[in-house]
Amino acid sequence: MPQSAETTPPPATPPGAAPDRPAAVPPATHRTVEVPGGRIHLVEQGTGPLVLLVHGFPESWYSWRHQLPALAAAGYRAVALDVRGYGRSSKPREVAAYRMLAHVADNAAVVRALGEETAVIAGHDWGSPIAAHSALLRPDVFTAVALLSVPYTPRGATRPTEAFAHIGGAEEFYINYFQEPGRAEAEIEPDVRTWLAGFYAGLSGDAEPTSGPGLFSIPPGGKMSDRFPAGPPRPPWLTEADLDFYAAEFERTGLTGGLNRYRNVDRDWEDLAAWTGAPLTRPALFIGGEHDATTHWLADAIKAFPRTLPGLSAAHLLDGCGHWVQQERPAEVNRLLVDWLRSLPEAVVRVAA
């Protein structure tokens, strides 16, 4: 596929991006590649077998800033992308353009655009189900999958928004709160930086424990930010420069592209009917946080791993860690990822001929 360089590329190493890299590791480089759905911006570091890193909400390629140099130093070609709708990647207007099938197609096209035939894929938050479905639907391209924070959950019999309404009970589950175009944007976009800081802090392992419903449930007539923690404006693992980078990205792009992923959960359910209950058989790794609410309300999905992820090597819950695992615990996550990659058979991590 044709590739294009940024006319005004972001810095290769933004402030606060990563600790000093080993001398043998080349610097990260930015570029965009053409895919059938538009353009995907990515950041690449190292040479060797390709490892594709997919971020979640509300993040960007930058959420993998600590993993890029570590994977490169370990002998891998690490590539972190801006998912469609984020950063410098294309932002289609239609909500349906953010369906899971489109993200899977983007990922497969990125691998081809990079001159490779196969890749290992890793995802965090929404990036985890995107990575999982990439390996499920395109096992010819994605030979192994690492899932961070969100466990693999096969398609079930109940329409997702109906299931989420049941979870919310008298309140509104956050995914349903995100469904109406413009509603969440009206909460977030007037002060993006403050909202992001509260959201990151509220789902961090450093947040004060609460006995209430937490951030994932919105009271009638309320906003998600009503339950953001009072106290420090950001968690300690996130520098002011890190927060500045995220805020600048979303102040420039808005939040609609990221929120449109949530607005396709029912459409995904319809698209993926043929894969109801399907196990993901590729070699897999799971890393979650002990204090991540996601690992609690999806605890049954983790218990089902022997059936749903038969190729799972290990499932790790990091003590005291919250939702943002690769940013909260970069050294530990880097070690787990590299050890897992090195344990994979050579045929799984082969470089394309």
Side-chain angles (χ1 to χ4, degrees), residues 128-148:
S128 178
I130 291 173
H133 283 87
S134 295
L136 179 69
L137 303 182
R138 294 300 308 271
D140 57 316
V141 176
F142 299 102
T143 57
V145 58
L147 309 176
L148 279 63

Side-chain angles (χ1 to χ4, degrees), residues 36-168:
R39 289 158 37 103
I40 294 293
H41 166 251
L42 54 85
V43 181
E44 178 178 5
Q45 193 163 10
T47 58
L50 178 60
V51 181
L52 192 66
L53 305 169
V54 187
H55 68 80
F57 176 88
E59 300 175 274
S60 80
W61 73 266
Y62 190 81
S63 66
W64 298 101
R65 63 195 177 278
H66 302 301
Q67 285 65 53
L68 286 166
L71 292 174
Y76 297 93
R77 183 185 186 186
V79 174
L81 54 80
D82 277 334
V83 172
R84 68 164 60 194
Y86 287 84
R88 289 167 172 79
S89 292
S90 292
K91 299 164 189 64
R93 291 181 179 275
E94 302 81 7
V95 173
Y98 297 84
R99 68 207 315 153
M100 183 62 72
L101 296 180
H103 290 292
V104 171
D106 284 348
N107 291 342
V110 165
V111 173
R112 291 194 299 271
L114 293 173
E116 305 283 3
E117 294 178 0
T118 62
V120 175
I121 189 167
H124 168 257
D125 184 78
W126 255 122
S128 178
I130 291 173
H133 283 87
S134 295
L136 179 69
L137 303 182
R138 294 300 308 271
D140 57 316
V141 176
F142 299 102
T143 57
V145 58
L147 309 176
L148 279 63
S149 296
V150 179
Y152 173 60
T153 305
R155 182 198 187 273
T158 305
R159 183 175 292 273
T161 53
E162 294 175 4
F164 296 142
H166 178 74
I167 293 174

Side-chain angles (χ1 to χ4, degrees), residues 178-321:
F178 286 166
Q179 290 301 302
E180 181 184 344
R183 184 182 178 196
E185 289 93 328
E187 173 184 345
I188 302 168
E189 291 180 355
D191 187 353
V192 170
R193 194 178 194 277
T194 298
W195 193 94
L196 289 175
F199 190 69
Y200 296 149
L203 297 181
S204 171
D206 305 284
E208 289 293 327
T210 176
S211 58
L215 301 189
F216 287 138
S217 186
I218 292 88
K223 304 185 300 295
M224 198 172 194
S225 56
D226 292 340
R227 291 196 170 126
F228 286 176
R234 58 176 174 78
W237 49 266
L238 191 74
T239 69
E240 289 290 337
D242 295 334
L243 184 55
D244 286 344
F245 182 86
Y246 283 126
E249 289 289 270
F250 289 111
E251 285 168 352
R252 180 172 55 82
T253 66
L255 275 293
T256 296
L259 289 164
N260 278 346
R261 174 82 288 275
Y262 293 93
R263 294 164 184 158
N264 277 276
V265 291
D266 284 347
R267 187 173 285 109
D268 295 340
W269 182 78
E270 294 166 356
D271 288 343
L272 298 169
W275 287 271
T276 299
L280 175 54
T281 59
R282 281 304 195 190
L285 174 73
F286 177 75
I287 306 172
E290 176 194 19
H291 294 161
D292 184 355
T294 306
T295 61
H296 293 276
W297 66 269
L298 289 176
D300 287 345
I302 296 174
K303 292 177 183 177
F305 278 167
R307 175 176 53 82
T308 62
L309 279 179
L312 184 70
S313 297
H316 304 273
L317 285 181
L318 307 186
D319 291 345
C321 187

